[in-house]
Amino acid sequence: FATLAMFLRTPTRLLVNTPLARANYILGLNHSFQRSQSTNQSVDPQTTTPGTNQLDGLKWYKKYHATSYLLAVVTPVALLTNFPYVSTALDVILGAVIPIHAQYGMTQVIDDYVPQGNARKFAQLLMLGATGLVFLGLLRLNIFGEGITKSVKRFWEKPEQKLLH
């Protein structure tokens, strides 16, 4: 937590080659963007998120990172918990947050790399469908199966040896 606190207090201008600095540049949250807005100069298209305005990009950015923080907390707790009811509740949370996090992240990738128009709309529709399928699959695993955490924990179990008679 100390490293995270130090990172959050570090000014963005010192974090030149980090994802946060690049995201701030893309979203236009750097000082040159603010100066260009105040002097009514044109905004460089490379500093804006394609297909959205600055505030929409910032909202997606915040939602994406909120789901990241939630996953960073819930995942280790879920994997270390052996209580059935707590584990089930955490599985349901993971089953909802994982697809939402993927949807937010991939929407930004689609906005960055797919040309505007029908191709982008089609790609976003495909991503929304994939997110829905993942959500339903994880929901089914959590309700009718053994749950996400127990399925993941099985990777570290020794396989049962079958004896041949």
Side-chain angles (χ1 to χ4, degrees):
F1 288 107
T3 305
L4 178 63
M6 182 183 72
F7 176 77
L8 292 175
R9 285 191 301 248
T10 305
T12 306
R13 62 183 160 74
L14 297 179
L15 302 171
V16 176
N17 196 17
T18 65
L20 180 61
R22 286 191 296 270
N24 283 342
Y25 178 75
I26 290 168
L27 294 172
L29 299 177
N30 56 2
H31 297 292
S32 63
F33 172 77
Q34 292 170 352
R35 280 195 305 272
S36 69
Q37 288 293 84
S38 64
T39 60
N40 292 328
Q41 296 176 355
S42 63
V43 178
D44 183 9
Q46 293 180 349
T47 63
T48 61
T49 303
T52 61
N53 64 28
Q54 298 298 320
L55 292 178
D56 286 344
L58 183 59
K59 288 176 188 175
W60 279 99
Y61 177 74
K62 286 183 177 184
K63 289 177 184 179
Y64 176 76
H65 282 281
T67 58
S68 296
Y69 297 141
L70 186 60
L71 286 172
V73 171
V74 172
T75 303
V77 171
L79 289 173
L80 295 174
T81 300
N82 289 325
F83 301 111
Y85 294 112
V86 175
S87 181
T88 302
L90 294 174
D91 281 345
V92 170
I93 292 170
L94 285 172
V97 174
I98 289 171
I100 291 170
H101 177 74
Q103 174 70 29
Y104 288 150
M106 289 306 297
T107 297
Q108 291 304 310
V109 171
I110 290 169
D111 283 348
D112 287 343
Y113 293 105
V114 178
Q116 289 184 353
N118 290 335
R120 182 179 293 178
K121 289 178 184 176
F122 182 70
Q124 288 174 343
L125 186 63
L126 281 177
M127 186 59 212
L128 188 61
T131 300
L133 287 175
V134 169
F135 175 76
L136 291 175
L138 291 175
L139 184 65
R140 180 175 170 81
L141 178 65
N142 287 330
I143 293 174
F144 300 113
E146 58 190 358
I148 295 172
T149 54
K150 193 164 184 178
S151 296
V152 171
K153 286 179 183 179
R154 201 171 345 126
F155 285 119
W156 287 278
E157 291 178 359
K158 282 189 174 182
E160 294 180 16
Q161 302 242 345
K162 295 183 181 179
L163 299 176
L164 299 175
H165 294 287

